[in-house]
């Protein structure tokens, strides 16, 4: 049964001048009242990030079909958006839960009634663990986190000394790589951690976790080989733990939004004789995709070879030209506080006299640099006027959503009609 999150309160929140980009006429209205008034994107102040409903739904459908066909579960990383309304859409599309990165995010998610959570991290803080112990009294709450050392389990046991647990905390043994991020460095070290978990009364051994995305940053043969070898070690570890598992749920999980095709390929052989395990992807960026980093690396991007049903970018930035101090250079009213910049700068796509008017392609332009509240628009083949608006492709959803309290959702790339406001909780 699909989880129904507690989203009604979001529609009752009142809009105000504290909400960046919101039209002045919305102040004092609830979100629901404002949406009932059929707002247009042209009413919003610049800068703004707009989401495309049609493209998001298409991406949800594409990823659902892709994972189901391969027998994989999907618990997408909710930290990408921190937007419960979008989590609900992912759950409605068949996702078996949501992955999160911190216990603060877990606490937020629980206030919305999210009942299936993977924490792709360790929990060692006493306050967080005691909160978690209380939440585990809910028998409907499915939770699993990661550990990568005996010291982690020691810290969990010490923090929960004297606390009566309704059930132990499910943990996956995180496998890492020398010089990488977190995770036991070798399979043998990970097996030792698993034995420690299996002997604990506070945690329960629940599988193998890890993140392959830090091993590559492109589709080069070197990166693909590093990712594949890591995933093969994951499967090796899982098989080595067979005698330590009990009869409860077991997970093997990997999968950022860059190499999930390799995850599926490596897992496929192990899945044929291991139906009891939840073979789980955690890809999170697919719901909006992008025009930058993931467009260049995702196996399902429309620019890829033989991709019949591709992911498409469902987010764009819109900013206004506020200065044209010299030939070939204009400044727009958006910067690092508004748009993502850590995985590539915004990409100029079009220009118009104002939002809602006809866009014309912006050829030979690029964003060459960004300040906190300005971006440098370099021009070659075309010119722009002060007051024009520029449409921008964005790279990396994970650092796009965190800059906005509300993001308007339009019906489609061709529509100016706003049908929703996505509320974030960073």
């Amino acid at each position: 049964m699909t989880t129904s999150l507690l989203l009604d309160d979001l529609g009752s929140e009142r809009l105000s001048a504290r909400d960046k980009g919101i039209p002045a006429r919305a102040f004092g209205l609830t979100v629901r009242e404002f949406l009932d008034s059929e707002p247009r994107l042209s009413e919003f102040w610049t800068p703004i990030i707009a989401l495309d409903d049609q493209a998001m739904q298409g991406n949800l459908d594409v990823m659902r079909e892709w994972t189901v066909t391969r027998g994989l579960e999907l618990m997408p990383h909710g930290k990408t958006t921190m937007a419960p309304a979008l989590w609900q859409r992912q759950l409605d599309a068949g996702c078996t839960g949501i992955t999160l990165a911190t216990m603060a995010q877990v606490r937020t998610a629980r206030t919305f009634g999210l009942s299936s959570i993977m924490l792709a991290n360790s929990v060692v803080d006493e306050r967080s663990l005691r909160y978690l112990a209380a939440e585990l009294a809910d028998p409907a709450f499915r939770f699993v986190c990661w550990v990568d050392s005996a010291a982690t389990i020691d810290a969990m046991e010490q923090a929960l000394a004297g606390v009566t647990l309704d059930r132990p905390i499910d943990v996956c043994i995180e496998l890492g790589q020398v010089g990488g991020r977190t995770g036991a460095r070798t399979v043998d070290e990970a097996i030792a951690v698993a034995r420690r978990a299996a002997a604990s009364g506070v945690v329960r051994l629940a599988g193998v976790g890890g993140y392959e995305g830090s091993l590559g940053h492109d589709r080069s043969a070197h990166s693909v080989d590093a990712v594949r070898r890591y995933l093969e070690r994951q499967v090796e570890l899982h098989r080595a733990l067979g005698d330590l598992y009990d009869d409860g749920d077991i997970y093997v999980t990997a999968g950022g939004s860059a190499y999930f095709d390799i995850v599926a390929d490596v897992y496929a052989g192990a899945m044929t004789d291991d139906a009891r395990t939840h073979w789980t992807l955690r890809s999170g960026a697919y719901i909006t995709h992008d025009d930058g980093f993931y467009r260049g690396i995702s196996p399902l991007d429309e620019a890829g070879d033989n991709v019949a049903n591709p992911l498409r970018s469902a987010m764009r930035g819109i900013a206004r030209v506020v200065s044209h101090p010299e030939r070939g250079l204009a400044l727009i009213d958006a910067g690092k506080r508004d748009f993502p910049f850590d995985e590539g700068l915004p990409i100029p796509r079009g220009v118009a006299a104002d939002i809602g008017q006809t866009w014309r392609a912006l050829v030979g332009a690029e964003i060459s640099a960004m300040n906190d509240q300005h971006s440098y628009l370099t021009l070659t083949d075309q010119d722009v006027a002060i007051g024009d608006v520029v449409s921008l492709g964005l790279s990396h959803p994970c650092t796009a959503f965190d800059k906005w309290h509300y993001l308007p959702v339009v019906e489609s790339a061709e529509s100016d009609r706003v049908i929703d406001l996505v509320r974030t909780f960073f």
Side-chain angles (χ1 to χ4, degrees), residues 269-350:
M271 291 169 63
T272 57
D273 57 357
D274 188 0
R276 68 162 294 196
T277 297
H278 298 278
W279 299 89
T280 304
L281 292 177
R282 303 187 312 277
S283 312
Y286 74 93
I287 189 169
T288 58
H289 197 47
D290 71 8
D291 276 304
F293 177 69
Y294 289 115
R295 181 173 176 79
I297 201 170
S298 169
L300 291 181
D301 183 73
E302 58 190 322
D305 296 332
N306 302 315
V307 180
N309 297 303
L311 300 173
R312 291 187 168 88
S313 179
M315 63 176 186
R316 60 177 165 144
I318 299 175
R320 194 174 300 275
V321 177
V322 292
S323 176
H324 202 334
E326 60 188 70
R327 182 177 177 83
L329 174 66
L331 280 296
I332 57 176
D333 63 349
K336 295 178 180 180
R337 301 263 173 100
D338 310 295
F339 299 154
F341 59 91
D342 59 315
E343 291 286 3
L345 300 182
I347 305 161
R349 295 298 193 199

Side-chain angles (χ1 to χ4, degrees), residues 110-320:
R110 288 294 286 162
T111 69
F112 285 94
L114 186 61
S115 61
S116 179
I117 295 174
M118 178 177 291
L119 179 70
N121 211 334
S122 299
V123 193
V124 296
D125 172 62
E126 179 180 352
R127 289 160 289 275
S128 297
L129 282 163
R130 288 178 178 254
Y131 163 81
L132 179 58
E135 291 298 297
L136 289 172
D138 176 0
F141 181 32
R142 175 190 182 212
F143 177 87
V144 60
C145 64
W146 296 1
V147 298
D148 66 358
S149 69
T152 305
I153 300 172
D154 291 343
M156 296 173 77
E157 291 177 341
Q158 291 165 14
L160 292 172
V163 175
T164 300
L165 286 170
D166 285 75
R167 52 192 160 113
I169 301 168
D170 281 1
V171 297
C172 286
I173 308 304
E174 183 186 0
L175 183 66
Q177 180 150 311
V178 173
R181 203 169 66 178
T182 50
R185 279 358 197 185
T186 68
V187 170
D188 286 343
E189 289 178 11
I191 292 171
V193 179
R195 290 193 179 115
R196 176 70 178 83
S200 173
V202 168
V203 304
R204 172 189 165 268
L205 178 62
V208 172
Y211 176 56
E212 79 290 347
S214 61
L215 302 178
H217 212 70
D218 53 35
R219 281 271 165 176
S220 67
H222 174 77
S223 293
V224 168
D225 182 61
V227 168
R228 182 174 293 277
R229 284 187 286 109
Y230 167 76
L231 294 165
E232 289 169 348
R233 290 170 59 234
Q234 257 201 337
V235 172
E236 177 190 352
L237 172 60
H238 172 58
R239 285 173 169 158
L241 302 185
D243 291 341
L244 295 175
Y245 291 142
D246 61 19
D247 294 332
D249 286 337
I250 300 298
Y251 306 82
V252 177
T253 176
S257 298
Y259 302 110
F260 54 83
D261 57 325
I262 307 175
V263 176
D265 187 45
V266 172
Y267 282 5
M271 291 169 63
T272 57
D273 57 357
D274 188 0
R276 68 162 294 196
T277 297
H278 298 278
W279 299 89
T280 304
L281 292 177
R282 303 187 312 277
S283 312
Y286 74 93
I287 189 169
T288 58
H289 197 47
D290 71 8
D291 276 304
F293 177 69
Y294 289 115
R295 181 173 176 79
I297 201 170
S298 169
L300 291 181
D301 183 73
E302 58 190 322
D305 296 332
N306 302 315
V307 180
N309 297 303
L311 300 173
R312 291 187 168 88
S313 179
M315 63 176 186
R316 60 177 165 144
I318 299 175
R320 194 174 300 275

Side-chain angles (χ1 to χ4, degrees), residues 20 22 35 41 44 48-52 56 81-83 86 288 314-316 338 394 397 400-410 418-426:
K20 184 168 68 171
I22 297 294
L35 294 174
L41 191 61
F44 284 69
I48 197 72
I49 289 181
L51 304 179
D52 178 337
M56 284 196 296
T81 65
M82 281 306 293
L86 297 185
T288 58
M315 63 176 186
R316 60 177 165 144
D338 310 295
L394 304 176
F401 281 80
D402 65 317
K403 296 168 174 56
W404 295 88
H405 193 192
Y406 286 107
L407 293 91
V409 181
V410 294
V418 174
I419 60 173
D420 201 1
L421 293 178
V422 167
R423 170 80 150 87
T424 65
F425 290 84
F426 286 94

